[in-house]
Amino acid sequence: GHRGSLGPGMVGGGRPASQHGSNMNAGMPFAPDMYSTNKGPSGPAGDSVGEKLKYRLSQGASGVEKTLEVLQLKKKDTAKHYVKAVLDKVRTDDPTLTEVNLSACHLNRAKLTSLVKALRTNNVVKTLDFSNHGLSGGDSAVTYLTKHLLDSKTITRLDLRLNQISLKGISCVESLLKVNLNLTRVELFEPMYKGDQDTVAQTLQKIQWLLQGNYNYHAFLAGQSPALILSGRSYKQLVARLLEGAEKCKMFDVSHNEIEELPDTIKQLVNVIEVNAKHNRIQGVPKSIGALKHMRKLVLANNYLTFLPDEFTKLESLEYLDISHNELFELPDQFRLLSKLQYVDLSFNKLKHLPDELSNLEDLETLLLSQNQLSSLPDSIVLLSKVKKIDVSFNSLRQLPDERPNLLYLVEFFLSNNQLAYLPDGIGMLPELRRLDVSNNRLVKLPDDITNLHRLEELILSDNQLSALPDFIGLMWRLTKLDVMNNKLTAIPESIQLLKYLRILDLQNNKLKRLHEFFATLVSLDELKIHGNENIKGISQETIKLGDAEVIATVQQMPKAVDKTWRTKLMVVGQDPCGKSSIVDWLRQKLDRKYKRPKDDAPAPTEGIRVLEMMLGSGESQIGLAVWDFSGAADFDLTQSLFLSPRGVYLLCFNMLDDTRADIKIEQTLQVVTSKAPEAPIILVGTHADDKKVNQRYRKVFFTRIKEKFYKRFPSIKTHLAVSGKTGKGMENLFERIVKYGGELPDIGKQIPKGFIYLEDRVKVLRTVMKHPLASFDRFKDEIFACGIDQSQVLEAMKHLHNAGLIIFFPRTFRDYVFIDSQWVTDIFSSIPRMRKFVKKGFLPESELDQVWNPAQFPPDLHDLILSLLEGFELVLRPKDMQKIFVPAYLEEEATPSPAKLNEMWPPGYEMEEPEFRRVYIFKFFPQGLFSRLIGRFVNNLGWELENYWKGGAILLSPGYDRAFIKLDTLEKSLNVTVRGESAGDELSNLIDNTNQLVRDTMKLSVEMFVPCTHCLLLEEGKRPFLFPIEEFENAISEGKEYVLCNGEVAVKLRALLPNMT
């Protein structure tokens, strides 16, 4: 029949051995692709062994059918003569007879015996074909045949298809192939092999693998392959003939035999690179092994070795060593000489100690020592700078080396099943560690620096005695698996909610008291195991019994519930000195038992803004207070208004000893507060009530005046009272008022998604773990989403946090970043006054920034971002191509010019022949610092140069040599802008545009704009001109008028008042 499609070494078809390479499955007795075929499709991917076998057998039938077609042409009465003729030719050693074809001849035992005897002296026959019932007797015939072919030197091919053989028969074929290296092709096929089908499939696979080995063996002898593979043949010793041609061998594989000793002749493998002798019964290694100078890989696993000869350390090229699963008690003292080792597996031995100076193995990447009897490790093990994996599990280690580790590339560290009571502090100095297993030890506490393992993905701590996890475990943000089952944990740190990649959390069999709601923010969590925590609250035991899936479902529903918000701000404002800090310290002591305020010394005045967290009240209605203590120093007025919140309660403090002077300070502060928070309740707090002067009559007169002066103008004032931060007088009353008005705020008790509450807690945790308390807007959105808040609620959630004082977010001026620590960002703005010392003529050298900002709090790598933040509010500006920073607030001021001097600097308009245009802004409230910011805009944005600058006044020169006079009148709350020159109209438009953008768009100030009448200015020097509302001009232009009436009487041309009139 046709069998040409079946390559060498195949069992009824398959891929030719040459396609597998010389080292095909060198250490394995089974070939994984046994059932693939050369012709037609391969079996279905992923099928079981039995299904593959069935598919394989069906594919083999076609070849047999072709054989049958040929045999049908033979006449039955000639079969006996045919067999006799064949036997005669075999006996005579006929040189033309290379193939004995006895297909369908039903050879009985007598004839088979005659054939076997004849073959003993025949040196020509290479192929025996007994297919299609060529043998009668099935398994017994195959057993007899294979037994007598064990020593055959010439037979290379055997066809036994369709002979009703079973598992027993193919097992005999397997035994034959283990001994006879000459057979390179055996063909087997039965519709069904009797016997266990999985065992049948495995036996056929072994046959396939042995045939491949035979083919490779002949390829080696012929010089076509450098690999000498003799594995899986049950050899008990390596006889000389098996090492024929050993000097040309590169890969030597005698694995899966029964060899008890490697012979001294192994030294003949002088050029060998790889030796595999695993799964034998080897008890000793000959000294001659030291001659294998080129060997890079040695596998002696699963033997009975008790020692290694000293000559073993002469293997100077060795890179890979596997001596696992032996009985070694020790290693050679000079083991360190194997300096090129990269992989060492010594697991499953009886080692009690390791040689010193392991650090000499500079290239070592994998060190496996599990299942030994080690009680300690040499200090040098922590100096293996290239090692990536260390496994010392299942030993008797009581401690690890305390030396500072240099394991810079260690990725996996396995320490399970030892007797460790603690981990050294240096455990956190493993920068690349991904997996750490310390399960089944005696740990009672983890070192704090373990949270420095920022790349760790799996942390296995099960079966220890831990009562707590590190507070900052959230720093290990790449964790995907955390297993702490079978410990003594009573609570889980809140920072765990930051583990956004955590998929598996095993908390079984601990002593947890409650199911923490922050588990709901673990967005990647797939498995949450909490079985065995009997007294846990927050989830029923019935739910736990339903399984992990039900527990996860319950947790994921938590953010969808609603809750009430109980957070607000307490803003403490007022001009110094008035004792605000003493009031805040008194409140702090009342609300925080751990805090004790100084008894004798008054607290130092606040610089900038001090932000504190306090809790007001108790029980379910407890209010979280973000207390903002604002400095009253004039230096900070420029920046503090940026942080006045529209929500919260305001304490406006003033010194009652100032008497009527206090009125001015109160009014100024009220204007600032109500411009930012028009509806926020204000409590007026007079200080120094302990002074003798501030008696009952004095207080009555004082507050009567205050009430008459401000209550109607500022309806958000709720009450007033006198206190003493020194003695505590009136403080209880103040506390009650804070509770009352805080509880009445519209946001307090308001229903919000529970995810918002989770987000509040999450921000507090983030503050404790982040290196710098800021995050990009996109990064912070991930934190929001983690709390079960969807995209449509992002801005609402951020507004909620901002109003509650938990974050600072500037959506218009700096929306790319979110600040999660209010104190940190207010300190940035409060640093502006410190710049004054280093500013010259309005410019701060960048080299001085380290003097302005403490590098520990504001490192240089954040300076660019901080400057961008301050630029957003125009507190600083960075001109192009300059290594200096423009600080408008500290422009060098001249003395305020006298009227005569001012006339020289800016002559009256009627003396000038060039065009001149004016504008006047009238403010309800003119904030501190606005004037300098405006001048800074003109200089930085428009390129104007300062000719003169003094408090409340500036004269500037444009790039086109037009001039401008900017004047501030604080009493009138007016800003006058005058421009004269050939392009005065265009330049005034530019100035007005920049002013409007700052005043109306950025600062959101209430302001009116007017145009001074030129007719009035010409009539009398110094006379206050009539002011046309800008709206009047807009109406006149829309109606097509060319004149407007000054004071309703004198007609004035529009073109004389408005530049570029359209």
Side-chain angles (χ1 to χ4, degrees):
H2 175 69
R3 307 177 193 90
S5 63
L6 306 178
M10 297 294 105
V11 182
R15 192 168 47 175
S18 58
Q19 294 182 15
H20 289 282
S22 61
N23 189 21
M24 172 199 163
N25 302 304
M28 301 176 60
F30 311 116
D33 53 358
M34 148 71 189
Y35 298 110
S36 63
T37 62
N38 244 7
K39 301 287 185 177
S42 61
D47 287 350
S48 67
V49 171
E51 290 171 334
K52 287 182 178 178
L53 175 64
K54 183 177 180 181
Y55 179 83
R56 166 67 187 83
L57 296 178
S58 66
Q59 292 294 303
S62 59
V64 178
E65 290 171 358
K66 291 184 179 180
T67 303
L68 290 174
E69 291 176 5
V70 176
L71 294 175
Q72 287 172 357
L73 299 178
K74 298 179 180 180
K75 294 180 181 179
K76 292 183 180 180
D77 58 354
T78 62
K80 183 184 296 186
H81 300 290
Y82 172 74
V83 170
K84 182 178 183 302
V86 168
L87 289 175
D88 290 342
K89 285 192 174 186
V90 172
R91 291 189 188 99
T92 59
D93 214 9
D94 187 335
T96 64
L97 185 66
T98 59
E99 177 178 353
V100 173
N101 189 341
L102 296 170
S103 177
C105 289
H106 297 274
L107 220 63
N108 58 28
R109 175 61 64 88
K111 296 294 183 182
L112 181 58
T113 301
S114 299
L115 176 62
V116 166
K117 289 181 179 179
L119 287 172
R120 289 175 183 170
T121 58
N122 186 288
N123 295 314
V124 178
V125 175
K126 297 184 180 300
T127 300
L128 296 177
D129 185 349
F130 297 106
S131 63
N132 191 31
H133 305 287
L135 298 173
S136 63
D139 287 340
S140 63
V142 170
T143 301
Y144 179 82
L145 175 65
T146 55
K147 179 180 179 181
H148 288 85
L149 289 179
L150 289 173
D151 298 326
S152 173
K153 301 266 191 315
T154 58
I155 304 300
T156 61
R157 179 176 175 181
L158 179 63
D159 191 341
L160 295 171
R161 291 178 294 172
L162 291 174
N163 275 285
Q164 296 183 341
I165 59 179
S166 67
L167 174 59
K168 180 180 179 181
I170 59 175
S171 296
C172 291
V173 174
E174 178 192 355
S175 299
L176 168 64
L177 291 171
K178 285 182 177 181
V179 177
N180 192 319
L181 291 169
N182 295 308
L183 275 167
T184 58
R185 185 170 186 135
V186 173
E187 297 180 62
L188 297 167
F189 173 76
E190 296 292 339
M192 176 62 69
Y193 292 95
K194 293 181 180 180
D196 179 75
Q197 293 303 294
D198 283 340
T199 306
V200 168
Q202 292 175 8
T203 305
L204 290 173
Q205 195 173 26
K206 291 177 185 178
I207 292 172
Q208 171 75 24
W209 187 85
L210 289 166
L211 285 169
Q212 181 70 64
N214 287 1
Y215 181 80
N216 289 340
Y217 174 73
H218 287 278
F220 171 76
L221 294 179
Q224 297 173 0
S225 170
L228 177 53
I229 302 174
L230 300 170
S231 58
R233 300 181 180 278
S234 303
Y235 291 158
K236 297 185 182 300
Q237 60 180 338
L238 292 177
V239 296
R241 68 178 178 84
L242 294 177
L243 291 175
E244 182 182 345
E247 67 282 352
K248 61 183 179 181
C249 177
K250 299 289 186 181
M251 190 274 172
F252 183 60
D253 186 351
V254 289
S255 62
H256 296 277
N257 282 290
E258 299 175 10
I259 300 169
E260 297 181 355
E261 184 178 3
L262 290 177
D264 188 64
T265 53
I266 197 173
K267 64 185 178 183
Q268 297 175 23
L269 300 166
V270 290
N271 293 306
V272 76
I273 294 174
E274 177 180 343
V275 172
N276 185 354
K278 67 180 180 181
H279 287 280
N280 279 281
R281 298 177 180 178
I282 301 171
Q283 299 180 21
V285 176
K287 295 181 179 181
S288 60
I289 196 171
L292 308 184
K293 301 293 186 181
H294 301 289
M295 183 167 59
R296 295 202 294 265
K297 182 174 181 179
L298 175 59
V299 180
L300 291 169
N302 296 90
N303 280 286
Y304 297 95
L305 296 173
T306 57
F307 75 99
L308 298 175
D310 291 340
E311 286 76 10
F312 191 87
T313 61
K314 295 180 180 180
L315 299 173
E316 55 192 34
S317 299
L318 197 62
E319 298 174 358
Y320 184 106
L321 175 62
D322 182 356
I323 322 180
S324 62
H325 295 270
N326 277 278
E327 298 181 4
L328 294 175
F329 287 95
E330 61 181 358
L331 297 176
D333 290 337
Q334 301 301 311
F335 192 79
R336 61 184 177 83
L337 296 179
L338 302 173
S339 58
K340 292 186 178 181
L341 278 174
Q342 298 177 17
Y343 180 100
V344 174
D345 187 351
L346 296 165
S347 56
F348 291 89
N349 276 281
K350 297 181 180 179
L351 297 174
K352 294 185 177 181
H353 63 87
L354 298 176
D356 294 330
E357 301 181 21
L358 284 180
S359 58
N360 196 54
L361 307 181
E362 296 179 352
D363 294 327
L364 191 63
E365 295 183 359
T366 301
L367 178 59
L368 307 180
L369 294 162
S370 65
Q371 296 281 1
N372 277 280
Q373 300 173 18
L374 299 172
S375 58
S376 64
L377 298 174
D379 290 344
S380 59
I381 199 171
V382 300
L383 302 177
L384 297 171
S385 59
K386 292 184 180 180
V387 73
K388 296 179 180 179
K389 179 178 181 178
I390 297 177
D391 187 349
V392 288
S393 58
F394 291 92
N395 278 280
S396 302
L397 299 176
R398 296 183 180 274
Q399 65 180 32
L400 298 178
D402 288 323
E403 297 293 321
R404 180 187 177 93
N406 190 39
L407 305 171
L408 301 180
Y409 298 100
L410 186 63
V411 174
E412 296 179 287
F413 200 2
F414 299 95
L415 293 159
S416 67
N417 292 276
N418 279 284
Q419 301 175 30
L420 298 173
Y422 71 94
L423 295 177
D425 289 337
I427 196 72
M429 303 174 66
L430 306 175
E432 296 297 324
L433 196 64
R434 302 290 199 279
R435 186 176 184 189
L436 176 61
D437 186 346
V438 206
S439 59
N440 282 284
N441 276 281
R442 300 176 181 177
L443 301 178
V444 295
K445 184 181 179 181
L446 297 175
D448 290 337
D449 79 330
I450 196 172
T451 60
N452 293 331
L453 299 174
H454 301 313
R455 293 182 179 272
L456 196 67
E457 296 174 4
E458 291 189 17
L459 178 57
I460 315 299
L461 299 166
S462 58
D463 296 282
N464 278 283
Q465 300 175 34
L466 297 172
S467 58
L469 294 175
D471 288 339
F472 300 127
I473 195 170
L475 289 172
M476 304 163 79
W477 60 276
R478 293 194 183 188
L479 276 181
T480 61
K481 179 178 181 179
L482 176 59
D483 185 349
V484 287
M485 71 178 294
N486 296 328
N487 276 279
K488 299 179 180 180
L489 301 179
T490 58
I492 302 298
E494 289 188 7
S495 68
I496 201 174
Q497 64 188 282
L498 303 181
L499 304 180
K500 62 181 180 180
Y501 300 115
L502 191 66
R503 294 178 44 254
I504 301 172
L505 178 58
D506 195 336
L507 302 169
Q508 295 179 92
N509 299 317
N510 278 278
K511 298 181 179 180
L512 297 179
K513 297 178 180 178
R514 59 189 290 258
L515 179 67
H516 300 285
E517 291 186 338
F518 53 70
F519 287 161
T521 67
L522 294 168
V523 292
S524 300
L525 198 62
D526 294 327
E527 295 182 28
L528 175 59
K529 301 177 182 296
I530 56 174
H531 179 76
N533 293 277
E534 300 301 331
N535 299 316
I536 194 168
K537 296 180 180 179
I539 188 170
S540 67
Q541 290 296 324
E542 288 72 17
T543 301
I544 296 174
K545 290 177 182 178
L546 290 175
D548 298 338
E550 191 65 27
V551 172
I552 284 287
T554 301
V555 169
Q556 290 174 344
Q557 290 299 315
M558 290 179 177
K560 298 179 182 179
V562 294
D563 205 337
K564 294 181 179 180
T565 177
W566 300 101
R567 288 196 61 86
T568 190
K569 289 181 180 178
L570 178 67
M571 318 292 281
V572 186
V573 298
Q575 297 186 17
D576 278 344
C578 65
K580 296 189 306 298
S581 296
S582 294
I583 293 174
V584 171
D585 277 10
W586 188 92
L587 287 172
R588 186 178 178 187
Q589 179 175 268
K590 181 173 180 62
L591 298 175
D592 185 356
R593 294 179 179 177
K594 296 180 180 179
Y595 177 72
K596 298 297 179 184
R597 62 190 294 263
K599 292 183 178 180
D600 300 325
D601 298 332
T606 300
E607 290 190 9
I609 301 172
R610 180 171 57 147
V611 183
L612 301 169
E613 288 286 335
M614 300 183 191
M615 297 304 297
L616 191 64
S618 60
E620 294 184 358
S621 59
Q622 190 178 47
I623 298 174
L625 271 186
V627 181
W628 290 54
D629 179 11
F630 288 79
S631 170
D635 279 346
F636 299 102
D637 289 348
L638 178 64
T639 59
Q640 289 189 351
S641 62
L642 300 174
F643 299 100
L644 295 177
S645 172
R647 307 288 175 87
V649 177
Y650 279 81
L651 302 187
L652 197 164
C653 304
F654 49 88
N655 188 344
M656 294 182 71
L657 294 174
D658 285 345
D659 199 9
T660 55
R661 289 175 299 174
D663 297 11
I664 299 172
K665 297 179 179 180
I666 293 171
E667 181 170 7
Q668 291 174 344
T669 308
L670 281 170
Q671 288 175 336
V672 174
V673 170
T674 55
S675 69
K676 295 288 186 177
E679 298 179 3
I682 300 172
I683 301 174
L684 299 180
V685 183
T687 63
H688 295 79
D690 59 304
D691 194 280
K692 292 181 180 180
K693 180 181 177 180
V694 187
N695 54 34
Q696 185 175 357
R697 182 183 176 190
Y698 182 91
R699 293 197 301 272
K700 183 177 181 180
V701 172
F702 188 98
F703 283 122
T704 299
R705 183 181 74 249
I706 294 298
K707 191 172 183 179
E708 292 174 352
K709 220 171 191 183
F710 301 122
Y711 269 54
K712 287 186 179 180
R713 290 174 56 199
F714 302 99
S716 55
I717 298 175
K718 297 298 181 183
T719 188
H720 58 265
L721 68 164
V723 303
S724 169
K726 182 177 181 181
T727 66
K729 182 178 181 179
M731 294 302 294
E732 286 294 341
N733 191 16
L734 173 60
F735 178 73
E736 292 173 3
R737 303 294 176 87
I738 294 172
V739 172
K740 171 179 169 57
Y741 295 113
E744 293 175 356
L745 289 170
D747 283 349
I748 294 298
K750 177 183 176 182
Q751 282 197 338
I752 57 173
K754 206 158 190 176
F756 283 29
I757 307 297
Y758 298 160
L759 187 57
E760 291 178 6
D761 295 334
R762 194 175 185 88
V763 168
K764 294 176 188 176
V765 174
L766 284 169
R767 289 178 188 169
T768 65
V769 300
M770 291 183 69
K771 182 179 180 181
H772 304 302
L774 76 162
S776 69
F777 179 67
D778 290 337
R779 166 74 176 80
F780 193 74
K781 281 200 298 186
D782 291 340
E783 304 297 338
I784 294 175
F785 297 150
C787 296
I789 301 168
D790 60 38
Q791 178 69 46
S792 64
Q793 295 177 305
V794 167
L795 292 180
E796 182 185 352
M798 296 188 72
K799 183 179 179 182
H800 167 77
L801 293 177
H802 183 87
N803 289 337
L806 291 170
I807 68 167
I808 291 182
F809 179 51
F810 303 109
R812 290 193 302 272
T813 54
F814 205 68
R815 69 170 290 119
D816 290 340
Y817 285 89
V818 178
F819 300 93
I820 61 173
D821 185 343
S822 301
Q823 187 66 69
W824 191 82
V825 73
T826 57
D827 285 349
I828 292 175
F829 285 84
S830 299
S831 69
I832 297 294
R834 289 199 294 274
M835 294 182 179
R836 185 198 298 269
K837 179 180 178 181
F838 308 102
V839 170
K840 289 183 174 32
K841 295 184 179 181
F843 286 92
L844 170 71
E846 288 187 2
S847 58
E848 301 289 356
L849 288 177
D850 283 338
Q851 303 297 319
V852 176
W853 294 319
N854 179 359
Q857 186 179 15
F858 306 110
D861 60 316
L862 290 181
H863 286 181
D864 185 69
L865 183 144
I866 294 172
L867 289 171
S868 297
L869 171 63
L870 296 177
E871 275 188 299
F873 294 94
E874 299 177 14
L875 298 173
V876 302
L877 300 165
R878 286 186 283 184
K880 294 180 180 179
D881 303 323
M882 291 184 67
Q883 298 300 310
K884 295 181 179 180
I885 300 159
F886 182 36
V887 188
Y890 299 127
L891 284 167
E892 192 169 318
E893 293 183 352
E894 308 167 7
T896 302
S898 64
K901 179 66 174 175
L902 182 57
N903 279 342
E904 291 179 13
M905 296 161 57
W906 186 266
Y910 58 80
E911 296 180 3
M912 308 300 294
E913 296 182 356
E914 54 192 348
E916 178 181 281
F917 297 99
R918 302 184 179 210
R919 289 290 182 276
V920 177
Y921 287 88
I922 305 295
F923 295 82
K924 288 185 178 181
F925 161 67
F926 196 91
Q928 180 75 19
L930 174 60
F931 186 75
S932 61
R933 289 178 67 181
L934 194 59
I935 300 304
R937 263 181 170 256
F938 297 161
V939 172
N940 190 70
N941 295 1
L942 301 177
W944 289 67
E945 294 182 7
L946 277 173
E947 290 187 353
N948 305 94
Y949 181 76
W950 64 95
K951 188 174 183 178
I955 297 174
L956 302 98
L957 180 67
S958 78
Y961 300 102
D962 296 292
R963 300 178 77 218
F965 178 25
I966 316 296
K967 181 183 178 183
L968 170 66
D969 188 332
T970 54
L971 293 178
E972 297 291 336
K973 300 187 183 76
S974 65
L975 181 71
N976 297 270
V977 181
T978 305
V979 182
R980 61 173 58 148
E982 294 298 325
S983 304
D986 292 335
E987 295 295 356
L988 177 65
S989 295
N990 292 334
L991 294 179
I992 295 303
D993 288 344
N994 269 264
T995 303
N996 288 344
Q997 187 180 34
L998 175 62
V999 170
R1000 291 175 172 168
D1001 299 340
T1002 302
M1003 302 188 72
K1004 303 293 183 183
L1005 296 176
S1006 178
V1007 64
E1008 296 178 285
M1009 187 164 62
F1010 299 88
V1011 181
C1013 177
T1014 55
H1015 176 73
C1016 298
L1017 292 169
L1018 292 173
L1019 286 178
E1020 185 177 345
E1021 182 181 349
K1023 179 183 177 181
R1024 182 173 180 178
F1026 178 78
L1027 299 178
F1028 292 97
I1030 194 68
E1031 293 79 12
E1032 186 173 338
F1033 287 90
E1034 294 172 351
N1035 293 333
I1037 292 172
S1038 65
E1039 295 172 4
K1041 295 179 180 180
E1042 295 183 1
Y1043 295 87
V1044 289
L1045 295 178
C1046 173
N1047 209 17
E1049 298 176 356
V1050 180
V1052 183
K1053 286 185 177 182
L1054 284 175
R1055 290 188 179 278
L1057 301 170
L1058 287 180
N1060 305 322
M1061 187 186 73
T1062 57

